[in-house]
Amino acid sequence: RCAVLMVQREFALRLCAKPGDELYCRLTVNTQLLARVDHLMKVSKNSFRPPPKVDSSVVRIEPRNPKPNVNFVEWDGLVRLCFGRKNKTLPAIFNTKLVLKLLEDNLKTHCALMGKPVPDRPVKDIVADVLRATG
């Protein structure tokens, strides 16, 4: 089961972008988490009468089966953080006071819900270790 859609070219390129591409964005990450997206063809604006102002593309979207085991509210919150500031790097984003406070509060809540003790290490150190380990 899949959907074949004609959309504006820029939107199609955002759906199909790869990490590192200029058009890679939150839309790309969330779409590709839930579905496989393929760019099938470009459709020129001259194919229509009257011609629109933009080119179009045809994309194929196939839902992933099974769906990833992800809490989508938490996932979207993380992706919003990562893509909230266009020119900021991930270490810069995750070392702001606001984000560190948010992560600390979430860690405390998670530990309480799971019946686990809160780690003695500062959240800033945990974040630094994760960022170092993942490159």
Side-chain angles (χ1 to χ4, degrees):
R1 201 169 83 164
C2 70
V4 177
L5 306 170
M6 183 166 34
V7 295
Q8 286 187 358
R9 180 149 175 80
E10 184 182 350
F11 184 77
L13 294 176
R14 287 184 186 278
L15 289 175
C16 300
K18 302 291 180 219
D21 289 353
E22 185 178 326
L23 293 175
Y24 193 75
C25 62
R26 200 172 125 223
L27 172 71
T28 310
V29 173
N30 284 329
T31 301
Q32 292 181 13
L33 172 72
L34 298 171
R36 192 173 125 222
V37 183
D38 297 309
H39 184 270
L40 299 179
M41 65 185 290
K42 179 180 176 183
V43 180
S44 171
K45 58 187 168 192
N46 296 324
S47 299
F48 302 96
R49 295 288 175 247
K53 295 182 180 178
V54 296
D55 287 325
S56 299
S57 284
V58 177
V59 294
R60 179 178 182 261
I61 302 173
E62 182 179 355
R64 296 199 185 275
N65 193 8
K67 289 182 181 176
N69 185 20
V70 173
N71 178 320
F72 296 107
V73 173
E74 288 181 7
W75 172 260
D76 191 53
L78 174 67
V79 174
R80 280 176 191 263
L81 278 175
C82 294
F83 287 92
R85 305 276 180 164
K86 184 170 179 140
N87 294 321
K88 274 197 164 189
T89 62
L90 289 179
I93 291 168
F94 282 98
N95 282 312
T96 61
K97 289 180 184 178
L98 181 66
V99 172
L100 287 170
K101 176 71 173 131
L102 176 69
L103 291 172
E104 183 178 3
D105 292 346
N106 286 350
L107 178 62
K108 288 177 182 176
T109 302
H110 175 76
C111 289
L113 289 172
M114 296 295 151
K116 296 181 179 180
V118 177
D120 292 337
R121 298 177 60 207
V123 171
K124 187 172 187 168
D125 292 347
I126 296 170
V127 168
D129 288 347
V130 170
L131 290 172
R132 230 184 340 273
T134 58

